[in-house]
Amino acid sequence: MGSYSYTYEFNTIDRQQTVLLGKRLGVLLRPGDVVCLEGDLGTGKTVIAEGVGEALEIGDYMTSPTYTIVNEYPRAQGDLYHFDLYRLSGEDEVYDMDFDSYFNRGAIILVEWPDRAGSLIPKDAIKVYLAKVADSTEHRKITIYSNRPLEI
Ligand SMILES: Nc1ncnc2c1ncn2[C@@H]1O[C@H](COP(=O)(O)OP(=O)(O)OP(=O)(O)O)[C@@H](O)[C@H]1O
Ligand SMILES: [Mg+2]
């Protein structure tokens, strides 16, 4: 997992609370930030991404990049790129889609299933880990790991 200087833990009890947490995270993001969204299928990675999108004023236009692999949202203040690497087999396929060409463009980058990208994920990426609590349908524990303080 690497080591992180700051850890923040949250519990949400419905979808909307996770959207709000994403919004609170989103306002703290800066151009160049990479945010890895980790957790099993259906834990809420796309939901928290939606909240980040709200903070960045993308709002209702955000959809899951399940089939597109990446959705690109151009913004005057710096683009937002939202990846879902689930369907890629591993680092070689991620490399072949020019993953690294999205970095260093001053964009904010969200990545679902970052494990597929292996070492192509920048070392200073923020990590958001989502887990169902006791198999509850709506309760999620969400842990954010960062190397800079995030006053969420
Ligand atoms: N507390 C919660 N936070 C987020 N989503 C929740 C919560 N409670 C229930 N849900 C539901 O869980 C589902 C999460 O779906 P979502 O598409 O965000 O998962 P995902 O982690 O992106 O999955 P995938 O790996 O398939 O991309 C949604 O149907 C959402 O309504
Ligand atoms: Mg998703």
Side-chain angles (χ1 to χ4, degrees):
M1 169 174 93
S3 63
Y4 296 90
S5 312
Y6 302 91
T7 304
Y8 305 91
E9 205 173 289
F10 305 89
N11 283 272
T12 66
I13 55 161
D14 59 28
R15 182 185 201 288
Q16 193 50 30
Q17 284 192 0
T18 300
V19 172
L20 283 176
L21 181 60
K23 208 168 166 179
R24 285 162 60 195
L25 171 64
V27 297
L28 300 173
L29 295 177
R30 305 171 182 159
D33 280 344
V34 177
V35 181
C36 292
L37 303 173
E38 299 185 25
D40 288 345
L41 287 166
T43 46
K45 299 180 292 295
T46 300
V47 169
I48 203 165
E50 256 177 64
V52 171
E54 278 190 26
L56 302 178
E57 293 173 349
I58 285 145
D60 293 345
Y61 298 102
M62 272 187 90
T63 54
S64 177
T66 309
Y67 298 103
T68 49
I69 312 290
V70 58
N71 288 344
E72 304 184 25
Y73 302 95
R75 299 168 65 242
Q77 314 90 312
D79 296 349
L80 173 67
Y81 304 134
H82 180 191
F83 286 86
D84 183 344
L85 304 178
Y86 183 74
R87 297 185 320 127
L88 301 185
S89 61
E91 208 167 314
D92 289 350
E93 260 189 47
V94 175
Y95 182 83
D96 287 345
M97 64 156 307
D98 279 336
F99 189 61
D100 55 351
S101 72
Y102 289 86
F103 297 97
N104 306 313
R105 291 199 213 162
I108 290 172
I109 301 183
L110 308 178
V111 187
E112 297 186 38
W113 297 99
D115 57 308
R116 307 292 194 263
S119 65
L120 301 174
I121 298 287
K123 293 286 164 279
D124 59 351
I126 294 166
K127 171 171 145 178
V128 179
Y129 181 73
L130 301 94
K132 288 191 180 180
V133 177
D135 259 352
S136 155
T137 47
E138 296 208 285
H139 186 182
R140 301 287 188 274
K141 182 177 151 190
I142 302 173
T143 315
I144 301 180
Y145 302 90
S146 172
N147 283 316
R148 71 162 192 268
L150 294 167
E151 297 303 325
I152 300 174

